[in-house]
Amino acid sequence: MNTIEKQERENTVKQKMLSVKLTHYLITVICFYAAFLLFRYEDIHLMSDYGFRYNYIVTAAFGVILAFLNNTFNAYLFGYTRIRSLAFSQFLSQFFSTWIVYAGVTIGWSSFKSPFVFFGLFVVYSLLDCGVSCFGNWYYFKLNPTKRTLLLYRNSRDRRRIGNLTGKPTERLYKIAKEMKFDGTFEEIKEELGNGYDAIFVAGLNSHCRNGILKYCEENDIRGFFLPHIGDVIMQGAEHIQTFDSPVLQARRKSLTPEYSIIKRVFDIVISAAGLVLLSPLMGITALVIKIHDGGPVFYKQIRLTRNAKQFQMIKFRSMKVDAEKDGIARLSTGEKDDRITPVGRIVRKCRIDELPQLWNILIGDMSIVGPRPERPEIAEQYYRQMPEFRLRLQVKAGLTGYAQVYGKYNTDPYEKLEFDLLYINHMSIITDLQLMFSTFGILLSKESTMGVQGMTAMDNKEEQGVSNPTRGNTING
């Protein structure tokens, strides 16, 4: 199949999958419209033309919010996401959209009306989502033949990173025909690339070789998947300067624009204040249970780093024994098997309740709702020694949630967490902050996001972390 035929086939597949997404989206909106009519059933005989126009306006608002949340939760990532994750993402979008609209309507009417009818709607949504998720994945795999795939990596750590991309369900799309541990030049690997591969996964190769593979994939219409270097992520935020007669990209330290800074701070104050008020009963019960359990302090205060390496005291509910670090050595949690965690602590950690006091840090300005997670100075120093770029995450204020928390895990590699943090810094906006906030609700139910690290200190495996090597155009095994 030549390049033109491949492109025509891919366009056809995209159109067919788009029809599945649009059908599900429109059915969802129609179901909401029907439920909203039932919600207003008592007033239906009083409705004028304006009343029905109001129904259309509310439904349109629901549709806009739903589209935003579908994109936020990756609700239609058929072929790359498990069926249960797809269905859950779709349901979350519908759930939040419905309640946001209901809250808006209730405030607008200045009166409370029972939302009972919407609970029936959620049952319909659940069945619809399960059905379309099963069909969507099946249809995607049917339309997309399995691709013969080559894996190229520099060491065992890079192989594990690629393994995260080639697990279920993507293993049905990309069948590994060959994998190579390679650290040479593009000329040395070029002949291998011509052995009929449909896709190539690349991690950790030097910049010259990787750039050659990138161009080869473009020229031959081969799908190329490249795990980025830190430099790649930084360049994403570079600005195109048009005053020169050659294309120039300007990279500089990030700073918030005045208008975004003001909006973000107001946003933080409103959300944190509302959270402290609404969650005060839960926080009060948690504090009481911790105190009753062992009589120790309720809160745990710890020095952390925020913007420009400024230190502040972060507040959490205490989930470990009082003498958890009596030897003075800073350690990361190893998860559920960590014997320093108390029985009460296991529960508050699993439910993320231990993080709630940080709303106070946000209210007084130490942190933001969205931003890189604040690190301890002792552990940050360990990262700096082998990963100097780690300081770049201090360009903005530390946050309660962010890219690394939403798309990574607790035990995600520090290098990859840094890449996530830099991605956020490059794409900071109120829309991005809203998307990450909503996405955080999705990960609250994920067991993997609370998994601990295998090593007790920050960077135990020095051999695999590597050291800076300017000749390869990357650092820390990028």
Side-chain angles (χ1 to χ4, degrees):
M1 186 181 297
N2 58 40
T3 301
I4 296 178
E5 290 175 338
K6 283 184 179 180
Q7 291 177 344
E8 290 178 349
R9 177 183 174 80
E10 288 188 2
N11 289 335
T12 300
V13 170
K14 289 179 181 178
Q15 291 171 3
K16 290 181 178 180
M17 294 309 302
L18 179 62
S19 66
V20 174
K21 300 172 186 177
L22 286 176
T23 300
H24 178 260
Y25 174 79
L26 291 175
I27 292 175
T28 300
V29 173
I30 291 171
C31 287
F32 174 83
Y33 179 75
F36 192 70
L37 286 179
L38 291 175
F39 179 66
R40 302 190 67 191
Y41 177 75
E42 295 177 357
D43 306 324
I44 199 115
H45 64 285
L46 300 175
M47 283 190 190
S48 60
D49 289 341
Y50 171 78
F52 280 103
R53 286 199 299 272
Y54 179 80
N55 294 343
Y56 299 146
I57 292 172
V58 170
T59 304
F62 171 83
V64 171
I65 297 171
L66 179 66
F68 171 78
L69 292 180
N70 278 340
N71 181 64
T72 297
F73 292 121
N74 291 318
Y76 295 128
L77 204 58
F78 296 119
Y80 292 88
T81 309
R82 296 173 185 268
I83 291 173
R84 62 175 179 267
S85 297
L86 282 170
F88 180 64
S89 297
Q90 292 160 14
F91 183 80
L92 274 182
S93 301
Q94 297 153 351
F95 180 84
F96 283 120
S97 299
T98 301
W99 287 117
I100 290 172
V101 171
Y102 170 76
V105 168
T106 300
I107 293 172
W109 290 349
S110 299
S111 63
F112 173 80
K113 194 168 184 178
S114 173
F116 180 78
V117 66
F118 294 121
F119 291 101
L121 178 64
F122 293 143
V123 174
V124 174
Y125 281 158
S126 299
L127 298 174
L128 176 64
D129 297 339
C130 290
V132 78
S133 297
C134 291
F135 176 78
N137 264 9
W138 170 82
Y139 196 44
Y140 188 89
F141 292 134
K142 181 180 180 180
L143 294 175
N144 288 275
T146 302
K147 294 174 174 55
R148 190 167 181 267
T149 304
L150 170 66
L151 266 58
L152 293 174
Y153 54 91
R154 189 159 67 93
N155 57 30
S156 57
R157 174 178 172 271
D158 293 324
R159 178 61 184 87
R160 286 199 301 272
R161 294 177 71 198
I162 292 181
N164 295 331
L165 305 178
T166 56
K168 293 182 179 180
T170 54
E171 62 186 4
R172 293 184 59 180
L173 289 173
Y174 302 99
K175 183 178 180 181
I176 301 175
K178 187 173 183 179
E179 58 178 85
M180 294 179 60
K181 185 176 181 180
F182 180 74
D183 194 21
T185 65
F186 172 69
E187 287 70 23
E188 293 172 333
I189 196 67
K190 185 174 181 180
E191 183 177 350
E192 178 63 40
L193 300 181
N195 289 335
Y197 296 109
D198 303 304
I200 302 173
F201 286 75
V202 178
L205 304 192
N206 63 76
S207 298
H208 171 75
C209 181
R210 189 188 56 161
N211 291 342
I213 296 173
L214 174 63
K215 296 173 186 176
Y216 185 89
C217 289
E218 288 285 331
E219 293 170 356
N220 295 275
D221 196 23
I222 296 173
R223 293 195 182 188
F225 297 86
F226 300 84
L227 274 69
H229 301 167
I230 288 294
D232 299 327
V233 180
I234 293 174
M235 286 301 293
Q236 282 192 4
E239 179 185 2
H240 177 216
I241 303 299
Q242 301 183 18
T243 56
F244 304 98
D245 59 357
S246 297
V248 175
L249 296 176
Q250 174 184 261
R252 57 183 298 181
R253 187 176 180 84
K254 298 297 178 183
S255 61
L256 277 63
T257 61
E259 57 273 18
Y260 174 54
S261 180
I262 294 172
I263 294 173
K264 187 176 179 68
R265 182 61 188 139
V266 172
F267 186 76
D268 288 341
I269 292 173
V270 171
I271 296 298
S272 59
L276 286 170
V277 172
L278 295 175
L279 297 171
S280 57
L282 175 61
M283 295 173 70
I285 294 172
T286 303
L288 182 62
V289 172
I290 293 174
K291 192 67 177 178
I292 292 174
H293 176 257
D294 61 8
V298 170
F299 297 107
Y300 178 62
K301 298 180 180 180
Q302 195 176 68
I303 298 297
R304 298 286 180 114
L305 299 177
T306 186
R307 184 183 179 189
N308 296 327
K310 178 182 176 182
Q311 296 187 358
F312 72 100
Q313 275 198 332
M314 191 181 77
I315 308 172
K316 299 178 70 173
F317 280 124
R318 182 174 59 86
S319 59
M320 291 188 175
K321 299 174 183 177
V322 177
D323 59 351
E325 291 184 354
K326 59 184 178 181
D327 57 4
I329 299 176
R331 292 182 175 90
L332 299 175
S333 171
T334 55
E336 294 182 357
K337 296 181 179 180
D338 195 330
D339 59 6
R340 298 174 298 163
I341 302 176
T342 65
V344 175
R346 296 186 191 282
I347 297 174
V348 298
R349 275 175 171 256
K350 190 170 185 178
C351 301
R352 313 306 201 283
I353 299 174
D354 61 322
E355 308 284 358
L356 294 182
Q358 291 168 50
L359 291 171
W360 175 253
N361 289 119
I362 295 169
L363 184 63
I364 63 177
D366 292 331
M367 296 172 58
S368 179
I369 294 291
V370 181
R373 284 296 291 157
E375 194 54 82
R376 299 173 64 177
E378 302 90 341
I379 294 178
E381 188 60 36
Q382 296 180 47
Y383 291 145
Y384 296 157
R385 285 197 292 267
Q386 293 194 25
M387 192 165 37
E389 305 95 330
F390 199 76
R391 291 185 175 87
L392 296 176
R393 66 199 299 276
L394 299 177
Q395 297 175 83
V396 298
K397 193 179 292 185
L400 183 62
T401 187
Y403 270 13
Q405 287 68 49
V406 171
Y407 301 113
K409 304 173 186 176
Y410 184 85
N411 58 348
T412 296
D413 188 287
Y415 186 87
E416 293 177 336
K417 283 187 177 181
L418 173 59
E419 290 180 324
F420 278 129
D421 290 334
L422 293 179
L423 281 172
Y424 168 71
I425 291 171
N426 287 337
H427 298 91
M428 289 184 298
S429 70
I430 291 299
I431 296 298
T432 300
D433 289 354
L434 285 172
Q435 287 181 323
L436 288 171
M437 282 185 59
F438 279 109
S439 297
T440 302
F441 288 102
I443 68 165
L444 290 179
L445 301 177
S446 171
K447 180 179 179 181
E448 292 180 334
S449 61
T450 57
M451 291 172 60
V453 295
Q454 296 301 315
M456 290 296 288
T457 55
M459 298 187 77
D460 287 328
N461 197 338
K462 297 181 180 179
E463 180 181 353
E464 288 194 356
Q465 291 296 337
V467 295
S468 178
N469 187 346
T471 61
R472 298 193 178 282
N474 60 309
T475 58
I476 315 300
N477 186 28

